[in-house]
Amino acid sequence: MRGVVFDGTRAEVVDDLEIRDPGPGEVLVAVAAAGLCHSDLSVIDGTIPFPSPVVLGHEGAGVVEAVGAGVAHVAPGDHVALSTIANCGACGECHRGRPTMCRKAIGMPDRPFSRGGERVYQFAATSAFAERTVVKAVQAVKIADDIPLTSAALIGCAVVTGVGAALNRAAVGRGDTVVVIGVGGIGLNVVQGARIAGAATIVAVDANPEKEGVARRFGATHFLRSTEGVRGVLPDGADHAFECVGRVELVREAVDLLDRHGQAVLLGMPGAAAEASFVVASMFLDKSILGCRYGSSQPQRDFALYAELYRGGRLLLDELVTATYPVEDFDKAVGDAGAGRVARGVLTF
């Protein structure tokens, strides 16, 4: 079986992976498409520490091949989008409706793969860069067969993180003002989440002028190449500022751009030990700095919602996929993503 394995030094496409059968409460999925996210690149460059060897990929969609005992909500042949959140469903956080905070799912990687007799880790409980993967049943969300799997794959990370950050974590309201710093795959989804929520002004900020067209297509009312011009559009500042790049200096800029009662939402992933600073006195005007994990989502609920918004023409998916690559072209996909040449590249099997 083909897949992308990172051995702690480099990532390569291999063809000798093996995957175990699904156990109770698990689902075996034939992966059709998987988006290449910067979180995957962050494992390769060490920004996200992870044990190796590991099969990469966490943003995928495919077709159910087999289910383990006790699985009833999906069956072989069903199309599914994969969630990276393998929540247990039984802890206090799950019962509070916060599955992204599940205490039994964070930092406990499984090893359902093997290669040459050695067990191989699963990244983000998903490992979508493989022809087949085994996930917890709760991670397999059934979607309509008429949604292209290359587009459906992006629901599992870029969409749920970006749209969820706007709708769930920040609770953007009708008429609000929004600044989105960085309009890659996550940032574009924050933009369209703010549009869906009814924001009046959505300022997209990105150093790459070629992103203006797609940012406006997703809902941006303004496009700037730096944050310096934001006050010209929003003299009082923004109700919501989203940092989607992962640079500490941009975290500071997001905080500085807030209006009274404003919220800075952090979505980019800086180094694990990175620290940001801000003027403490500025926060006493009821401002907030919010972290956000996986769009503060409830995947079984939110994936279905986003799929229906897509089918109704209100949420864009196809436009996110700016390039597709057969898995053998993984290195080219990484190069294009690292250089910012694509909003989202998708690997296909």
Side-chain angles (χ1 to χ4, degrees):
M1 181 179 75
R2 291 173 299 166
V4 178
V5 175
F6 177 64
D7 65 4
T9 302
R10 63 185 297 269
E12 64 175 335
V13 179
V14 303
D15 60 7
D16 58 351
L17 272 179
E18 296 180 0
I19 183 79
R20 63 171 172 79
D21 293 334
E26 293 181 334
V27 177
L28 175 67
V29 177
V31 179
L36 178 60
C37 173
H38 276 275
S39 293
D40 300 301
L41 303 183
S42 293
V43 175
I44 296 173
D45 68 20
T47 300
I48 297 178
F50 205 88
S52 62
V54 56
V55 178
L56 297 176
H58 64 287
E59 183 181 72
V63 180
V64 175
E65 280 202 351
V67 300
V71 178
H73 74 289
V74 293
D78 285 345
H79 287 204
V80 293
L82 300 178
S83 163
T84 70
I85 301 299
N87 61 292
C88 72
C91 70
E93 297 297 341
C94 287
H95 277 283
R96 292 185 183 96
R98 299 196 292 250
T100 61
M101 296 294 110
C102 176
R103 298 184 186 277
K104 295 186 178 181
I106 299 174
M108 300 180 183
D110 194 7
R111 291 190 289 176
F113 301 94
S114 61
R115 185 184 181 213
E118 179 184 10
R119 296 178 69 191
V120 179
Y121 284 100
Q122 186 173 45
F123 178 56
T126 310
S127 288
F129 293 170
E131 291 186 87
R132 291 173 182 80
T133 191
V134 168
V135 297
K136 300 295 185 184
V138 72
Q139 295 177 254
V141 184
K142 186 176 179 179
I143 58 173
D145 291 356
D146 60 359
I147 301 177
L149 291 172
T150 49
S151 298
L154 305 189
I155 295 176
C157 180
V159 173
V160 73
T161 299
V163 176
L167 299 184
N168 299 329
R169 188 66 169 123
V172 174
R174 185 171 298 278
D176 283 358
T177 57
V178 174
V179 175
V180 182
I181 303 173
V183 286
I186 300 297
L188 286 173
N189 279 290
V190 175
V191 168
Q192 71 170 336
R195 168 179 54 78
I196 291 168
T201 304
I202 304 171
V203 183
V205 180
D206 200 287
N208 184 352
E210 295 181 2
K211 292 185 178 180
E212 179 172 2
V214 68
R216 291 187 180 275
R217 176 74 180 90
F218 274 67
T221 59
H222 300 74
F223 182 88
L224 301 171
R225 293 188 61 185
S226 77
T227 58
E228 292 179 1
V230 170
R231 290 287 181 175
V233 179
L234 301 172
D236 293 327
D239 295 315
H240 313 275
F242 296 83
E243 200 285 331
C244 305
V245 180
R247 288 167 45 191
V248 293
E249 65 271 24
L250 296 179
V251 170
R252 170 61 182 268
E253 290 180 22
V255 173
D256 289 346
L257 288 171
L258 296 177
D259 194 0
R260 299 179 181 189
H261 303 280
Q263 301 178 124
V265 183
L266 310 185
L267 296 174
M269 181 64 70
E275 297 183 0
S277 64
F278 57 91
V279 178
V280 175
S282 72
M283 303 303 293
F284 291 101
L285 293 173
D286 284 359
K287 298 180 183 181
S288 304
I289 300 173
L290 305 178
C292 183
R293 175 175 165 81
Y294 207 57
S296 301
S297 64
Q298 297 181 42
Q300 287 286 342
R301 177 199 69 181
D302 293 347
F303 280 34
L305 169 63
Y306 301 152
E308 288 309 306
L309 288 174
Y310 165 78
R311 297 179 78 205
R314 295 181 60 196
L315 184 140
L316 306 181
L317 286 179
D318 304 336
E319 294 83 354
L320 278 170
V321 183
T322 47
T324 59
Y325 309 83
V327 67
E328 290 79 10
D329 288 345
F330 175 73
D331 288 342
K332 175 173 172 49
V334 169
D336 288 347
R341 289 189 286 267
V342 294
R344 212 48 152 204
V346 174
L347 299 178
T348 58
F349 293 91

Coordinates of all heavy atoms in Angstrom, one line a residue, residues 169-172 176-177 236-241 254-255 257-265 282-290:
R169 N -16.0 29.9 17.5 CA -15.2 30.5 18.5 C -15.4 32.0 18.7 O -15.6 32.5 19.8 CB -13.7 30.2 18.2 CG -12.7 30.7 19.3 CD -12.9 29.8 20.5 NE -11.8 30.0 21.5 CZ -12.0 30.4 22.7 NH1 -13.3 30.6 23.2 NH2 -11.0 30.5 23.6
A170 N -15.3 32.7 17.6 CA -15.5 34.2 17.6 C -17.0 34.6 17.7 O -17.3 35.7 18.1 CB -14.8 34.9 16.5
A171 N -17.9 33.7 17.1 CA -19.3 34.1 17.0 C -19.5 35.4 16.3 O -20.1 36.3 16.8 CB -20.0 34.0 18.4
V172 N -18.9 35.5 15.2 CA -19.0 36.8 14.4 C -20.5 37.0 14.1 O -21.3 36.1 13.8 CB -18.3 36.6 13.0 CG1 -18.6 37.8 12.1 CG2 -16.8 36.5 13.2
D176 N -20.8 42.9 11.9 CA -19.5 43.0 12.5 C -18.4 43.3 11.5 O -18.6 43.2 10.3 CB -19.1 41.7 13.3 CG -19.8 41.5 14.6 OD1 -20.6 42.4 15.0 OD2 -19.6 40.5 15.2
T177 N -17.2 43.8 12.0 CA -16.1 44.1 11.2 C -15.0 43.1 11.5 O -14.7 42.7 12.7 CB -15.5 45.5 11.4 OG1 -15.2 45.7 12.8 CG2 -16.6 46.5 11.1
D236 N -11.7 52.8 13.8 CA -11.8 52.5 15.2 C -11.3 51.1 15.5 O -11.2 50.7 16.7 CB -13.3 52.5 15.6 CG -13.9 53.9 15.6 OD1 -13.1 54.9 15.8 OD2 -15.1 54.1 15.3
G237 N -10.9 50.4 14.5 CA -10.4 49.0 14.7 C -11.5 48.0 14.4 O -12.6 48.3 14.0
A238 N -11.1 46.7 14.5 CA -12.0 45.6 14.1 C -12.7 45.0 15.3 O -12.1 44.9 16.4 CB -11.2 44.6 13.4
D239 N -13.8 44.4 15.1 CA -14.5 43.6 16.1 C -13.8 42.3 16.3 O -13.7 41.7 17.4 CB -16.0 43.3 15.7 CG -16.8 44.6 15.7 OD1 -16.7 45.4 16.6 OD2 -17.6 44.7 14.7
H240 N -13.2 41.7 15.2 CA -12.5 40.4 15.2 C -11.3 40.5 14.3 O -11.4 41.0 13.2 CB -13.4 39.3 14.7 CG -14.8 39.3 15.3 ND1 -15.1 38.7 16.5 CD2 -16.0 39.9 14.8 CE1 -16.4 38.9 16.7 NE2 -16.9 39.6 15.8
A241 N -10.2 40.1 14.8 CA -8.9 40.0 14.0 C -8.4 38.5 14.1 O -8.2 38.0 15.2 CB -7.9 41.0 14.5
A254 N -2.5 41.8 15.2 CA -3.9 41.4 15.4 C -4.5 42.1 16.6 O -5.6 42.6 16.6 CB -4.1 39.9 15.4
V255 N -3.8 42.0 17.7 CA -4.2 42.6 19.0 C -4.3 44.1 18.8 O -5.3 44.7 19.3 CB -3.3 42.2 20.1 CG1 -3.6 43.0 21.4 CG2 -3.3 40.7 20.4
L257 N -5.0 45.9 16.3 CA -6.0 46.3 15.4 C -7.4 46.2 15.9 O -8.4 46.5 15.2 CB -5.9 45.4 14.1 CG -4.7 45.7 13.2 CD1 -4.7 44.7 12.1 CD2 -4.8 47.1 12.6
L258 N -7.6 45.8 17.2 CA -8.9 45.6 17.7 C -9.6 46.9 18.2 O -8.9 47.8 18.7 CB -8.8 44.7 18.9 CG -8.4 43.2 18.7 CD1 -8.3 42.4 20.0 CD2 -9.3 42.5 17.7
D259 N -10.8 46.9 18.0 CA -11.7 48.0 18.5 C -12.0 47.6 20.0 O -11.7 46.5 20.4 CB -13.0 48.1 17.7 CG -13.7 49.4 18.0 OD1 -13.3 50.2 18.9 OD2 -14.8 49.6 17.4
R260 N -12.7 48.5 20.7 CA -13.2 48.1 22.0 C -14.1 46.8 21.9 O -14.8 46.7 21.0 CB -14.0 49.3 22.6 CG -13.2 50.5 22.8 CD -14.0 51.7 23.3 NE -13.2 52.8 23.5 CZ -13.5 54.0 24.1 NH1 -14.8 54.0 24.6 NH2 -12.7 55.0 24.2
H261 N -14.0 46.0 22.9 CA -14.7 44.7 22.9 C -14.2 43.7 21.9 O -14.8 42.6 21.7 CB -16.2 44.9 22.7 CG -16.8 45.8 23.7 ND1 -17.2 45.4 25.0 CD2 -17.2 47.1 23.6 CE1 -17.7 46.4 25.6 NE2 -17.8 47.4 24.8
G262 N -13.1 44.1 21.2 CA -12.6 43.2 20.1 C -12.0 41.9 20.5 O -11.5 41.8 21.7
Q263 N -11.9 41.0 19.6 CA -11.3 39.7 19.8 C -10.2 39.4 18.8 O -10.5 39.5 17.6 CB -12.4 38.6 19.7 CG -13.6 38.7 20.6 CD -14.6 37.6 20.4 OE1 -14.9 36.8 21.3 NE2 -15.0 37.4 19.2
A264 N -9.1 39.0 19.3 CA -8.0 38.4 18.4 C -8.0 36.9 18.5 O -7.9 36.4 19.6 CB -6.6 39.0 18.8
V265 N -8.2 36.3 17.4 CA -8.3 34.8 17.4 C -7.1 34.2 16.7 O -6.7 34.6 15.6 CB -9.6 34.3 16.6 CG1 -9.7 32.8 16.7 CG2 -10.8 35.0 17.2
S282 N -3.9 47.9 27.0 CA -4.8 48.0 25.9 C -6.0 47.0 26.1 O -7.0 47.1 25.4 CB -4.1 47.7 24.6 OG -3.7 46.4 24.4
M283 N -5.8 46.0 26.9 CA -6.7 44.9 27.0 C -7.9 45.3 27.9 O -8.9 44.6 28.0 CB -6.1 43.6 27.5 CG -4.9 43.1 26.7 SD -5.4 42.8 25.0 CE -6.5 41.4 25.2
F284 N -7.8 46.4 28.7 CA -8.8 46.7 29.7 C -10.0 47.4 29.1 O -10.9 47.8 29.8 CB -8.2 47.6 30.8 CG -7.2 46.8 31.6 CD1 -5.9 46.9 31.5 CD2 -7.7 45.9 32.6 CE1 -5.0 46.2 32.2 CE2 -6.8 45.2 33.4 CZ -5.5 45.3 33.2
L285 N -10.0 47.4 27.7 CA -11.3 47.9 27.0 C -12.0 46.7 26.6 O -12.6 46.6 25.5 CB -10.9 48.8 25.8 CG -10.2 50.1 26.2 CD1 -9.7 50.8 25.0 CD2 -11.3 51.0 27.0
D286 N -12.1 45.6 27.4 CA -12.8 44.4 27.2 C -12.4 43.7 25.9 O -13.2 43.0 25.2 CB -14.3 44.7 27.1 CG -15.0 44.9 28.5 OD1 -14.2 44.8 29.5 OD2 -16.2 45.2 28.5
K287 N -11.1 43.7 25.6 CA -10.6 43.0 24.5 C -10.2 41.6 24.9 O -10.0 41.3 26.1 CB -9.3 43.7 23.9 CG -9.6 45.1 23.3 CD -8.4 45.8 22.8 CE -8.7 47.2 22.3 NZ -7.5 47.8 21.7
S288 N -10.1 40.7 24.0 CA -9.8 39.3 24.3 C -8.8 38.7 23.3 O -8.8 39.1 22.1 CB -11.1 38.4 24.2 OG -12.1 38.9 25.1
I289 N -8.0 37.8 23.8 CA -7.1 37.0 22.9 C -7.6 35.6 23.0 O -7.6 35.0 24.1 CB -5.6 37.1 23.2 CG1 -5.2 38.6 23.1 CG2 -4.8 36.3 22.3 CD1 -3.8 38.8 23.6
L290 N -8.0 34.9 21.9 CA -8.6 33.6 22.0 C -7.8 32.6 21.2 O -7.4 32.9 20.0 CB -10.0 33.6 21.4 CG -11.0 34.6 22.0 CD1 -12.3 34.5 21.2 CD2 -11.2 34.4 23.4

